[in-house]
Amino acid sequence: MATSKQAAKRLTVIAESWKRDPFRPNIQLQTFLKSLAQHPKLTDQTVDAVRALRDGDMQKKYELSFKTLHPPSAPMHYDRLVEGVEKSAQGIKRSWWKVFFGIW
C-alpha cells in the first residue's frame, strides 16, 4: 500500500494529463483532482478509480454494440452527436438554415 504522499503524487500526475474542457474554461476537472490530491485521507483506491476513468477502462471492458450505437429509430444519432461536439469545440457552427430544416 502506498503512502498518502505517493498517492497524492500519482493523482497529481493523472490530473496534469487530463484533457481540458473547451466548453467550460472556468471549471476544470484538473483543478478538482489537484485539490483532491491534498486531501489527508486520499487512498490508493481513489487514485486507481480516477486513472480508470481517465483511461476509459469501463468503456473498454463493456463495449457498446453496433445495435446500441445505431438504433433503428435514429441510426446516425450518436455519430452526429460526436461530430457536433467536435465541431463545436473547434468553433464551427451549423448554418441557420440547416438548423431550421434539421439538415446535417
Side-chain angles (χ1 to χ4, degrees):
M1 177 179 258
T3 66
S4 181
K5 288 183 181 181
Q6 289 173 334
K9 191 173 185 178
R10 285 179 47 216
L11 187 58
T12 303
V13 169
I14 292 170
E16 289 172 355
S17 69
W18 205 280
K19 293 181 182 177
R20 294 191 56 79
D21 184 357
F23 299 109
R24 291 185 239 156
N26 58 337
I27 301 173
Q28 294 295 321
L29 191 57
Q30 294 171 337
T31 308
F32 169 72
L33 293 175
K34 286 179 183 177
S35 65
L36 181 64
Q38 304 305 317
H39 197 280
K41 294 185 179 180
L42 181 67
T43 64
D44 289 332
Q45 290 177 324
T46 304
V47 177
D48 289 339
V50 172
R51 184 208 44 79
L53 186 62
R54 181 200 61 192
D55 295 343
D57 288 354
M58 291 301 114
Q59 185 178 8
K60 293 172 189 170
K61 186 175 180 179
Y62 303 105
E63 290 188 37
L64 297 174
S65 68
F66 182 83
K67 203 172 184 180
T68 302
L69 292 174
H70 298 90
S73 60
M76 299 299 292
H77 175 74
Y78 295 108
D79 295 333
R80 288 178 180 160
L81 184 65
V82 169
E83 179 185 350
V85 169
E86 289 172 351
K87 283 186 176 180
S88 180
Q90 296 171 3
I92 301 171
K93 296 181 180 180
R94 287 174 43 213
S95 60
W96 69 269
W97 62 271
K98 285 187 176 182
V99 174
F100 183 79
F101 290 110
I103 298 171
W104 290 87

